[in-house]
Amino acid sequence: PASAVFTMHGEGTLGDNITCLVQTNTTPILAGLHPATAGSGKEACSGDMLLQALAACAGVTLNAVATAMEIPYRKASVRAEGEVDFRGTLGVSKEVPIGFTNIRLHFDIDTDEPKDKIDSLIRLTERYCVVYQTLKHPPEIATKY
């Protein structure tokens, strides 16, 4: 059991113009403010990156579960979307929560499989998607400096 536990990492270095260079396994990503908070829109937004991570994880998980269940599909895609009221993070209103108020995950699967089999596919994808489960059941977070 101990060999199944991994410590994963995310790392960023602060840059000019309110940016942060985030290291990935492939290409570094320059993150910045969302245009709604005076960002240029040229840099990646961390909120979008969160939704992209959810879509990526759900997509990979869906693909793995479909393979295990032997569910053929012609085409499949995943989309994550959610709302943020930036008045909270900008400090305009203390009553407005900071962060996403809701997130929706959409699956579009082109297949001839029956609905009950697709229902099982989606249920198992939700169950085994690490990012989905992390958002649904947030872990304890500690800040160190």
Side-chain angles (χ1 to χ4, degrees), residues 12 15 21 27 32 34 38-40 45 63 66 74 77 92 102 107 122 130:
L21 187 64
T27 304
H34 187 277
S40 70
C45 165
N63 207 343
R74 287 175 286 282
S77 63
V92 173
N102 61 68
F107 294 95
I122 299 303
V130 171

Side-chain angles (χ1 to χ4, degrees), residues 17-125:
N17 301 318
I18 312 177
T19 61
C20 182
L21 187 64
V22 180
Q23 299 302 321
T24 74
N25 291 342
T26 55
T27 304
I29 298 172
L30 187 61
L33 294 171
H34 187 277
T37 61
S40 70
K42 293 179 182 177
E43 298 88 15
C45 165
S46 56
D48 289 334
M49 292 168 66
L50 176 73
L51 296 176
Q52 291 159 358
L54 175 58
C57 188
V60 169
T61 305
L62 177 77
N63 207 343
V65 173
T67 300
M69 293 179 68
E70 299 181 345
I71 296 178
Y73 56 87
R74 287 175 286 282
K75 184 178 176 184
S77 63
V78 180
R79 185 177 79 253
E81 60 186 19
E83 281 73 42
V84 174
D85 185 336
F86 285 108
R87 292 177 299 165
T89 194
L90 289 172
V92 173
S93 173
K94 292 185 182 200
E95 288 75 40
V96 174
I98 297 171
F100 285 92
T101 55
N102 61 68
I103 294 175
R104 295 171 301 284
L105 188 58
H106 301 271
F107 294 95
D108 186 15
I109 306 166
D110 183 6
T111 183
D112 294 325
E113 294 297 310
K115 183 181 181 320
D116 63 322
K117 201 163 183 184
I118 300 306
D119 290 344
S120 292
L121 172 63
I122 299 303
R123 188 180 73 256
L124 290 170
T125 296

